């Protein structure tokens, strides 16, 4: 099985983009966790993987990988912005944030599929719920 790092490197080469240590470190960090990491946390972990990589370089790598469709981010409200691998590099999922305790949960990516199709069919609107957190109250807080 091919790793996300190998697939990302190949896709960068196919696009004629540079395969840099910072870009590979970012992908490696994201592929190695299920946590919702901020840019700062990714920078810290990337520096541990590849000492000498500067935080600003990691931030530029995140931006570039986002432009190339390899990394995406989600706005979690007060919890900030987090990043994860995009497309077929990671399972498609949505984010749920509890407005009471702030916990972020992952939900299956197809949970809003009927709403997505209806909006496209009736309004020509293409919903991208992966970019935001759906806000509600979690099971623990609703007790």
């Amino acid at each position: 099985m091919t790793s996300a790092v190998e697939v990302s490197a190949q896709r960068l080469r196919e696009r004629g983009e540079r395969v840099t240590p910072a870009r590979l470190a970012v992908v490696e960090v994201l592929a190695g966790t299920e946590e919702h990491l901020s840019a700062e946390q990714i920078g810290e972990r990337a520096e541990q993987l590849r000492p000498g990589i500067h935080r600003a370089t990691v931030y530029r790598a995140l931006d570039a990988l986002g432009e190339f469709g390899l990394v995406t981010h989600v706005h979690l409200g007060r919890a900030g912005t987090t990043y994860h691998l995009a497309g077929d590099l990671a399972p498609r999922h949505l984010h749920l944030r509890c407005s009471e305790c702030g916990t972020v949960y992952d939900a299956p990516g197809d949970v809003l599929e009927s709403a997505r199709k209806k909006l496209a069919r009736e309004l020509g609107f293409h919903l991208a719920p992966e970019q935001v957190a759906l806000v509600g109250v979690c099971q623990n807080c609703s007790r």
Side-chain angles (χ1 to χ4, degrees), residues 46-124:
E47 285 176 325
Q48 291 171 355
L49 282 173
R50 302 228 183 9
I53 291 179
H54 297 286
R55 193 85 37 102
T57 305
V58 171
Y59 294 162
R60 285 191 300 274
L62 271 171
D63 286 342
L65 292 169
E67 288 177 29
F68 307 147
L70 298 172
V71 170
T72 189
H73 63 279
V74 62
H75 302 284
L76 298 175
R78 289 177 275 145
T81 300
T82 64
Y83 296 81
H84 53 86
L85 296 176
D88 62 349
L89 295 175
R92 185 171 151 227
H93 64 281
L94 304 179
H95 298 87
L96 311 174
R97 183 177 58 84
C98 178
S99 60
E100 299 293 320
C101 67
T103 301
V104 177
Y105 301 92
D106 287 343
D110 63 352
V111 75
L112 293 177
E113 198 58 34
S114 63
R116 183 191 308 255
K117 287 178 180 176
K118 183 174 183 173
L119 289 169
R121 183 178 60 251
E122 294 180 12
L123 301 175

Side-chain angles (χ1 to χ4, degrees), residues 9-65:
Q10 180 61 34
R11 290 185 182 164
L12 288 170
R13 285 186 199 98
E14 288 169 358
R15 291 177 57 98
E17 299 294 342
R18 295 181 316 138
V19 179
T20 66
R23 290 176 181 180
L24 295 180
V26 166
V27 173
E28 189 173 346
V29 166
L30 293 174
T33 187
E34 291 184 14
E35 296 175 77
H36 299 98
L37 299 178
S38 66
E40 183 176 331
Q41 291 168 315
I42 294 167
E44 290 169 1
R45 293 183 188 189
E47 285 176 325
Q48 291 171 355
L49 282 173
R50 302 228 183 9
I53 291 179
H54 297 286
R55 193 85 37 102
T57 305
V58 171
Y59 294 162
R60 285 191 300 274
L62 271 171
D63 286 342
L65 292 169

